[in-house]
Amino acid sequence: MKLIECSKVKISDAINSPILPETVKSDLKGSGDTFLTIYTKKSKTLRFFPTKDDEIWWLRIAINSFSPETSGKFLAKLNKLVSDFVYSTGVCISKSDCFWDGIILESSFKTSKENVRETLEEIPNVTKVIINAVE
């Protein structure tokens, strides 16, 4: 289940959009060249985040039997592997069907993405870790 949809937008494309007010376009011009857009399905909101990197990654962690102990373990490990997140969210559909999503800039990885995946998969109750580029 996807909680969010993400994409990259070049500011030049957004400035040419007729749906944005001129004041918004003017404000966005000074915020960088690339923006991350995140559409949150549950709340039906669309957000724009200016980014300093062109390379943006989506980390998705599937967890069964979610507990404070499990969340504490993966958040502690993440803090050692990644310096900063642009956005994160999590939800449990049922007690045994939980997901955590984090959006990370390339410059925020302290180690390889493969090491991040392998380290997080070692945590009890983590069933799958996926890291994909945001296009």
Side-chain angles (χ1 to χ4, degrees):
M1 173 183 187
K2 283 189 176 180
L3 307 172
I4 59 176
E5 292 290 335
C6 302
S7 64
K8 288 190 297 189
V9 173
K10 291 291 184 188
I11 191 61
S12 56
D13 296 336
I15 289 172
N16 295 327
S17 170
I19 63 170
L20 294 176
E22 291 303 320
T23 55
V24 172
K25 292 178 189 181
S26 177
D27 193 40
L28 291 177
K29 285 181 190 177
S31 300
D33 293 329
T34 304
F35 280 76
L36 168 70
T37 64
I38 298 178
Y39 175 69
T40 308
K41 290 184 176 189
K42 185 176 180 181
S43 63
K44 300 199 183 315
T45 57
L46 179 62
R47 297 179 180 151
F48 289 82
F49 296 89
T51 64
K52 59 184 177 190
D53 292 0
D54 246 5
E55 292 187 56
I56 304 169
W57 298 89
W58 185 345
L59 170 64
R60 170 157 255 241
I61 303 171
I63 306 161
N64 70 19
S65 187
F66 191 78
S67 68
E69 181 180 322
T70 300
S71 65
K73 283 183 182 179
F74 87 74
L75 290 174
K77 289 201 182 225
L78 274 173
N79 283 330
K80 293 178 182 175
L81 302 167
V82 177
S83 62
D84 194 23
F85 294 93
V86 177
Y87 181 86
S88 67
T89 189
V91 70
C92 288
I93 308 305
S94 66
K95 187 175 180 179
S96 63
D97 196 14
C98 299
F99 302 94
W100 183 88
D101 292 290
I103 307 301
I104 307 163
L105 299 179
E106 179 70 31
S107 62
S108 295
F109 283 98
K110 297 177 183 178
T111 185
S112 72
K113 287 174 261 323
E114 183 63 24
N115 186 43
V116 169
R117 189 187 58 74
E118 290 171 356
T119 300
L120 295 173
E121 284 179 341
E122 294 172 356
I123 299 170
N125 296 324
V126 170
T127 59
K128 192 170 191 177
V129 177
I130 301 169
I131 302 175
N132 289 322
V134 175
E135 302 294 329

